[in-house]
Amino acid sequence: MKKFLIVLAVALVSALTLTTMASANGGPHGGFTPTTDACAGCHRTHTATGPNLLILNSTYALCTTCHGTTGTGADSNVIDGVWLEGRNPTDTTGDANTLINAPLLAGGFNFYKGVATTSNHAVQETTAAAWGNGVNRGLTANLAGGNMNCASCHDPHGSPNYRIINAFVNGVAVNVAQVDEGATKSYDTEQWGAGQSAVCAACHSSYHQTTAGSGSALAMVATGGYTHRVDMSYSYTGPGGTNVNPEIVGFGGLKLPLAQTGTANAVVCQTCHLPHGSSAVMTGHANSGALPGNTSATDSALLRLTNRATCEVCHQK
Amino acid sequence: MTTNSIPESEDIALEHSVEEPEKEEKRRRRLLLLLLLLLFLSCFCAVLFLRYLFKPAPLPELMSLPVEINYPPHYLYSVYGVNLPVGAAVSPDGKKLYVAETGGDRLIKIIEADSGRLLKEFMPPNTSPGERSPVYLAVDASGRVYVTDRLQHAIFIYTGDGEYLDTIIAPNLTLSAYISSQLGGLPQGTKYLYNIFQEGAWYQPAGATDWVSLPVPKHDGWSPLGLTITADGRMLVTNVVSEKSSIIEFPASVTSTENWTDFSPTFTTFGSYGEGDGQFLYPNDALVDSRGRYYSIDGNNARISVWDATQKFQYFFGSGTGEGAVSLPRGAYLDDRNRLFIVDAVGQNVKVYGVSGDQPEFLYAFGDLGVDDGQFNYPNDVVLFGTNIIYIVDRENNRVQVWSY
């Protein structure tokens, strides 16, 4: 009976993954053929253990077995936030490649750019309470699937979404296609489209304000905290800097990425935030320890840049 | 719920037999047999004892059991006080255990093998925890310790006591050789440092207090990960650099040399990146058996590939499902009795194969998923001292387990 169930599960999953896979997924994730070999890296092949076959004691421990600091099974080291190899595949000269150990697009959980992180998403399955999860900003409510781990956001079996983001996050359907460079994965530039805000909004719905003026004082009072409008286009040319690359906002050497949406590129949550963790330093008046989400006075709320540099890149003052 | 039917006690009580002379005779015969057996056993023990007196050696060696009648080892004890350990090695005398950590400050710890006492901890000089990731280790015949570092893309070499000696920063370049080439020779007492994150190399002339910087040495896109030093001193390194992955075999001169200031070994490479025959994805170790055959522990392809002594690909094993199949093979060790020990990180056990014949033979697996004694939680490496003491690095349980036959 157990064996039959396992075989059924395997058949179902392979059928599902085979039919829904739009693009080739990285590493051992998806693109499975109807053999069970492809599952071995994450599931035990030892049939005698029966029901244990699919039981993983900790998703975080499993993922970091390959994506951890040792890079023993992947080039992306999400703990230190580095891509371990050179990222220029056309470089055949063998020259010292300055891109070795370049920062990961998603940030890092323990370190980022060589510095200990000042905030990260709690993926060690210890917390389920998310800010603005169907409740006002500044309040928390538990996620539908229990404590958060890597699989809350990523589907280890592959998905048609960018970076194998789950088709359903926290029970909400999410659609983030990979843009640029077709199906080719390049981990050196963001390849997400406008749907990227929806990933965050699946767990922080009340932060997803898309109407003009939603960052004004009145809205703040009404919904319980500061939020910035997202999913609107941004372009800037003027004194103090130019928006040279339409997908990157730059000012004084600082840069923020925009989502590619054709002609006018959009501001999304990830324009200001990193999804894994950040080592940005918060001091002085930018230190908002008392605000929700900030577990300590130096918590950087996953922001990409130090202090309020995040604001200055666009509101060049 | 199912209940087993147990025979009622009254049924048994009914059976009563009467003493008969025939039975008495039988019992006497049985006693005699037992006595003879005891005599034989004590003779055997006496012979073993005499042999031991002339040539002391552990029991399994004295008995020289053939591999075929092998049995799984048993759990002895654990060494705690290590934070997310991933790799281990033992000193030639078996007294010191070296363990590489990925948690906390990511140190390499020297532990007294008998007592589990921490003797010393060390790390690549001039690096902060976020800049280093010691993974696998090997010890050469003179007790020097070699440690691969995935973040530094290098192999660091230390004395048996953890004093820094040198860094192999490319297959044909060491730090001391680089400094020497830049300075036109390396005066005695010169110190040197390297940190890939700081884009440069530094040296300090003997007696000086300031460090002088030199341009970045060429690191040639190599990523050493798995590391083995064979009984005859050759060094096998798995290079996992994307797309250019290979196994590199260094000659014995690399591990027998006094220093590495003059470094131009004639190394050979074999295997490549991929899923086909003779290829691998993130090989975590490479080994050589007594017949000179090579093994790659092919992590992400969930198999072990074999090359002959001329580095020509032969076959792979351990893939698929069932008893002898591996899920995510990582660190491995080949002992003097041609037993291949492979840690299966996701299988949560150690699998042992006999590799003395033409084809590898799966012998047994030991351990299971859990946090109790003898259970594993993402184990990552295995190393033996002799053929009897087995150390298994039990990552998520923050310990090194010690097993024995």
Side-chain angles (χ1 to χ4, degrees):
Chain A
M1 188 59 194
K2 274 172 200 159
K3 254 201 182 134
F4 171 74
L5 275 178
I6 289 157
V7 170
L8 194 77
V10 168
L12 265 173
V13 170
S14 350
L16 255 167
T17 43
L18 279 173
T19 48
T20 56
M21 212 68 64
S23 58
N25 294 123
H29 310 290
F32 299 122
T33 47
T35 68
T36 47
D37 265 23
C39 318
C42 300
H43 295 287
R44 316 175 71 192
T45 53
H46 198 57
T47 46
T49 38
N52 268 352
L53 184 71
L54 292 177
I55 294 177
L56 305 150
N57 52 336
S58 157
T59 299
Y60 176 79
L62 168 68
C63 306
T64 53
T65 299
C66 287
H67 292 287
T69 143
T70 55
T72 32
D75 286 341
S76 50
N77 162 353
V78 300
I79 300 300
D80 304 315
V82 295
W83 186 264
L84 288 160
E85 299 307 336
R87 287 196 284 200
N88 183 0
T90 54
D91 174 26
T92 50
T93 59
D95 278 345
N97 190 339
T98 49
L99 287 178
I100 278 181
N101 294 342
L104 271 194
L105 300 178
F109 285 102
N110 293 7
F111 290 92
Y112 183 55
K113 297 185 172 167
V115 182
T117 51
T118 43
S119 68
N120 58 23
H121 258 131
V123 283
Q124 300 210 32
E125 285 149 281
T126 50
T127 176
W131 302 104
N133 177 20
V135 293
N136 272 358
R137 277 162 283 152
L139 297 178
T140 62
N142 283 352
L143 302 175
N147 288 347
M148 183 159 63
N149 62 55
C150 311
S152 306
C153 292
H154 298 288
D155 185 345
H157 305 109
S159 112
N161 278 340
Y162 174 68
R163 298 290 187 253
I164 59 173
I165 296 282
N166 279 313
F168 285 88
V169 175
N170 194 25
V172 182
V174 169
N175 208 320
V176 255
Q178 175 172 320
V179 296
D180 294 350
E181 300 161 82
T184 311
K185 286 182 193 305
S186 86
Y187 294 92
D188 51 6
T189 48
E190 286 82 2
Q191 295 175 290
W192 29 262
Q196 196 64 10
S197 285
V199 177
C200 316
C203 296
H204 304 288
S205 54
S206 64
Y207 288 77
H208 203 203
Q209 301 300 331
T210 54
T211 49
S214 48
S216 69
L218 262 181
M220 267 171 74
V221 176
T223 52
Y226 167 80
T227 198
H228 198 282
R229 185 189 174 194
V230 286
D231 297 353
M232 72 291 193
S233 63
Y234 179 85
S235 59
Y236 177 82
T237 35
T242 32
N243 186 349
V244 230
N245 179 339
E247 283 170 61
I248 303 276
V249 201
F251 174 64
L254 302 171
K255 285 185 184 124
L256 291 176
L258 296 172
Q260 196 202 43
T261 56
T263 45
N265 294 308
V267 179
V268 293
C269 313
Q270 257 190 258
T271 299
C272 298
H273 293 287
L274 286 163
H276 289 174
S278 166
S279 57
V281 179
M282 298 295 153
T283 52
H285 70 283
N287 168 359
S288 47
L291 283 166
N294 293 350
T295 46
S296 75
T298 48
D299 187 295
S300 56
L302 302 177
L303 288 166
R304 286 178 185 270
L305 303 173
T306 291
N307 289 329
R308 285 294 178 257
T310 308
C311 316
E312 260 127 60
V313 169
C314 290
H315 301 286
Q316 297 160 3
K317 288 190 173 136
Chain B
M1 273 299 265
T2 55
T3 48
N4 288 329
S5 59
I6 298 155
E8 303 280 304
S9 53
E10 291 121 81
D11 297 341
I12 307 164
L14 279 176
E15 290 194 30
H16 252 280
S17 56
V18 198
E19 293 273 325
E20 281 166 47
E22 253 174 66
K23 273 224 161 146
E24 190 81 340
E25 177 72 35
K26 240 186 202 165
R27 200 192 284 162
R28 212 174 297 144
R29 231 179 288 155
R30 230 181 276 154
L31 244 139
L32 204 77
L33 224 89
L34 210 83
L35 239 121
L36 272 169
L37 201 83
L38 266 169
L39 200 77
F40 173 75
L41 269 174
S42 48
C43 279
F44 183 69
C45 285
V47 168
L48 269 182
F49 181 71
L50 279 174
R51 253 198 79 180
Y52 180 82
L53 277 184
F54 289 114
K55 188 176 161 256
L59 197 62
E61 252 130 80
L62 277 179
M63 313 239 277
S64 71
L65 286 173
V67 171
E68 297 87 68
I69 54 159
N70 238 318
Y71 49 88
H74 57 272
Y75 172 83
L76 286 183
Y77 61 94
S78 286
V79 173
Y80 288 90
V82 281
N83 198 333
L84 297 177
V86 284
V90 191
S91 61
D93 61 6
K95 293 204 169 111
K96 283 186 242 167
L97 179 66
Y98 301 93
V99 183
E101 300 177 312
T102 57
D105 283 341
R106 303 181 188 175
L107 305 168
I108 301 145
K109 289 191 165 149
I110 309 180
I111 290 161
E112 195 171 57
D114 293 341
S115 66
R117 199 163 56 92
L118 177 70
L119 296 175
K120 199 181 168 186
E121 42 193 39
F122 59 98
M123 71 215 99
N126 190 40
T127 58
S128 65
E131 295 175 334
R132 58 176 176 252
S133 179
V135 192
Y136 292 115
L137 311 92
V139 174
D140 71 18
S142 57
R144 294 176 300 189
V145 187
Y146 300 64
V147 188
T148 56
D149 195 302
R150 185 77 158 98
L151 274 173
Q152 287 290 334
H153 295 252
I155 298 173
F156 288 85
I157 311 173
Y158 306 88
T159 65
D161 293 324
E163 303 296 334
Y164 172 71
L165 289 174
D166 212 334
T167 312
I168 307 178
I169 49 185
N172 52 11
L173 189 66
T174 57
L175 181 58
S176 64
Y178 173 73
I179 306 278
S180 164
S181 74
Q182 293 286 309
L183 303 184
L186 196 67
Q188 268 254 301
T190 309
K191 288 182 179 165
Y192 34 82
L193 287 174
Y194 170 78
N195 181 342
I196 201 170
F197 287 91
Q198 292 174 11
E199 296 284 316
W202 289 264
Y203 72 94
Q204 190 187 54
T209 48
D210 286 338
W211 289 90
V212 189
S213 80
L214 288 170
V216 191
K218 221 166 132 168
H219 26 80
D220 257 350
W222 92 311
S223 272
L225 181 66
L227 188 62
T228 295
I229 293 175
T230 65
D232 56 11
R234 283 176 287 166
M235 183 162 81
L236 291 171
V237 178
T238 67
N239 181 10
V240 297
V241 74
S242 40
E243 316 291 327
K244 288 181 234 158
S245 184
S246 64
I247 291 170
I248 308 177
E249 185 184 52
F250 289 96
S253 57
V254 165
T255 64
S256 59
T257 178
E258 281 274 296
N259 61 59
W260 300 265
T261 309
D262 199 3
F263 193 76
S264 52
T266 45
F267 56 85
T268 55
T269 66
F270 61 96
S272 62
Y273 178 92
E275 292 169 37
D277 283 354
Q279 298 187 315
F280 32 64
L281 295 175
Y282 299 92
N284 271 240
D285 211 347
L287 309 138
V288 171
D289 70 12
S290 62
R291 289 208 211 167
R293 292 176 298 195
Y294 298 87
Y295 298 80
S296 78
I297 311 300
D298 187 355
N300 285 16
N301 282 329
R303 64 184 184 188
I304 296 97
S305 289
V306 185
W307 284 260
D308 69 11
T310 66
Q311 302 185 339
K312 206 170 126 236
F313 173 75
Q314 300 297 308
Y315 53 84
F316 61 79
F317 67 94
S319 69
T321 52
E323 261 207 329
V326 287
S327 289
L328 188 60
R330 287 282 165 93
Y333 193 87
L334 232 161
D335 77 356
D336 290 344
R337 304 171 76 196
N338 275 317
R339 286 182 303 200
L340 176 59
F341 294 77
I342 300 173
V343 165
D344 191 339
V346 163
Q348 312 284 0
N349 57 19
V350 180
K351 298 195 165 80
V352 187
Y353 302 81
V355 294
S356 47
D358 285 337
Q359 291 284 328
E361 183 199 352
F362 175 70
L363 299 176
Y364 43 77
F366 60 91
D368 201 352
L369 171 65
V371 295
D372 293 336
D373 283 355
Q375 293 189 314
F376 299 116
N377 201 347
Y378 293 96
N380 205 71
D381 200 12
V382 58
V383 63
L384 269 78
F385 175 60
T387 54
N388 196 30
I389 303 289
I390 311 161
Y391 297 97
I392 304 114
V393 177
D394 189 7
R395 193 188 84 210
E396 291 289 319
N397 282 332
N398 296 313
R399 64 186 177 191
V400 177
Q401 292 192 22
V402 187
W403 290 57
S404 163
Y405 280 101

